Amino acid sequence: EKSAERKREYRNQFVLTNIIKLSKNANSICIVKQFITCNKDERIKAQIILSLANNIFDITQDLYGNYVVQHLIETFGYYNCFAITRIICLNFVLFSTQKYSSNVVDKVIIELHNNNHNELVQMINQMFFDDSNLFELLNSKYGTFVLANCLKILSQNEQNVIKNLLKEKFNFHKDEHRTIFCRLRRLMQ
């Protein structure tokens, strides 16, 4: 029994010490995800969250690491991962316009929708009503993906308010920024 406990402690310590490296490797990502899923110890959960939060910019933009962050948020929940979700919300434009981290933003938006609609509305207002944010998001196909997913989870009335705002804000007959206007049109359909 003591031997099993020592093995478990060694395994836990190994994964915690190497969690960033393991999260960014195709062959070990499943180990990290399983470690997150099966872990019930609050102390270890806190260590996992802290390790990932300290490396959030690197890990969310990684081909495999973004899956670990998504899994963590899905498994532990938005509020338990607040150290991570807060950073993502505060830097949503940066993360939304990156290939891999845009998936993490999408996961955070879903969790916000399920847990804190007021904070979701505040984030969406920053996305759609701040011209510089909107332009930057629309300038990226990944940012457009995030915007489209935001619109999908809003009520029909909330969608209509944003669509009307976008129609007023942008002149669809300008030739400059044709790609952005095409993306905007798709959002408004």
Side-chain angles (χ1 to χ4, degrees):
E1 194 170 300
K2 285 197 177 222
S3 174
E5 180 62 33
R6 276 195 300 251
K7 284 180 184 177
R8 184 174 31 258
E9 188 59 39
Y10 174 78
R11 184 183 59 239
N12 288 350
Q13 197 56 48
F14 176 82
V15 173
L16 286 170
T17 301
N18 297 290
I19 195 163
I20 302 305
K21 188 188 295 186
L22 293 170
S23 296
K24 295 169 68 174
N25 183 296
N27 297 315
S28 58
I29 186 176
C30 57
I31 294 168
V32 176
K33 288 173 76 174
Q34 188 67 25
F35 185 70
I36 290 167
T37 301
C38 295
N39 214 306
K40 306 296 181 221
D41 186 326
E42 293 301 320
R43 181 182 54 83
I44 292 175
K45 283 182 183 181
Q47 288 177 308
I48 294 169
I49 292 167
L50 182 62
S51 291
L52 294 178
N54 287 338
N55 295 280
I56 198 67
F57 288 90
D58 183 39
I59 198 142
T60 57
Q61 296 178 44
D62 183 76
L63 172 64
Y64 303 108
N66 80 89
Y67 291 110
V68 170
V69 177
Q70 290 179 68
H71 184 72
L72 180 80
I73 293 168
E74 193 174 272
T75 304
F76 292 174
Y78 176 82
Y79 290 111
N80 290 328
C81 297
F82 195 71
I84 291 171
T85 56
R86 192 88 215 116
I87 295 168
I88 292 166
C89 287
L90 291 172
N91 296 281
F92 71 88
V93 174
L94 170 71
F95 289 127
S96 295
T97 56
Q98 306 288 323
K99 182 175 183 176
Y100 303 117
S101 59
S102 62
N103 296 311
V104 176
V105 173
D106 199 45
K107 180 63 71 180
V108 169
I109 288 169
I110 291 166
E111 289 296 318
L112 272 173
H113 176 66
N114 293 334
N115 293 292
N116 188 341
H117 191 73
N118 291 335
E119 194 169 337
L120 173 66
V121 169
Q122 182 182 2
M123 186 174 181
I124 288 173
N125 284 341
Q126 288 178 316
M127 288 178 163
F128 286 99
F129 294 95
D130 181 314
D131 289 347
S132 62
N133 288 345
L134 181 61
F135 188 77
E136 196 167 340
L137 291 167
L138 286 171
N139 224 358
S140 159
K141 65 182 178 181
Y142 307 112
T144 305
F145 160 80
V146 170
L147 289 172
N149 287 343
C150 281
L151 283 176
K152 287 177 191 173
I153 63 174
L154 295 176
S155 71
Q156 192 62 50
N157 288 340
E158 291 167 327
Q159 286 180 23
N160 290 338
V161 166
I162 288 175
K163 287 177 181 180
N164 289 333
L165 168 92
L166 295 175
K167 284 178 187 175
E168 290 172 15
K169 221 179 234 206
F170 291 97
N171 178 358
F172 285 100
H173 303 292
K174 285 187 174 180
D175 282 340
E176 59 190 65
H177 308 300
R178 184 176 304 277
T179 303
I180 291 175
F181 291 125
C182 290
R183 289 179 179 156
L184 192 54
R185 278 195 191 112
R186 271 186 254 130
L187 277 178
M188 293 173 36
Q189 293 176 348

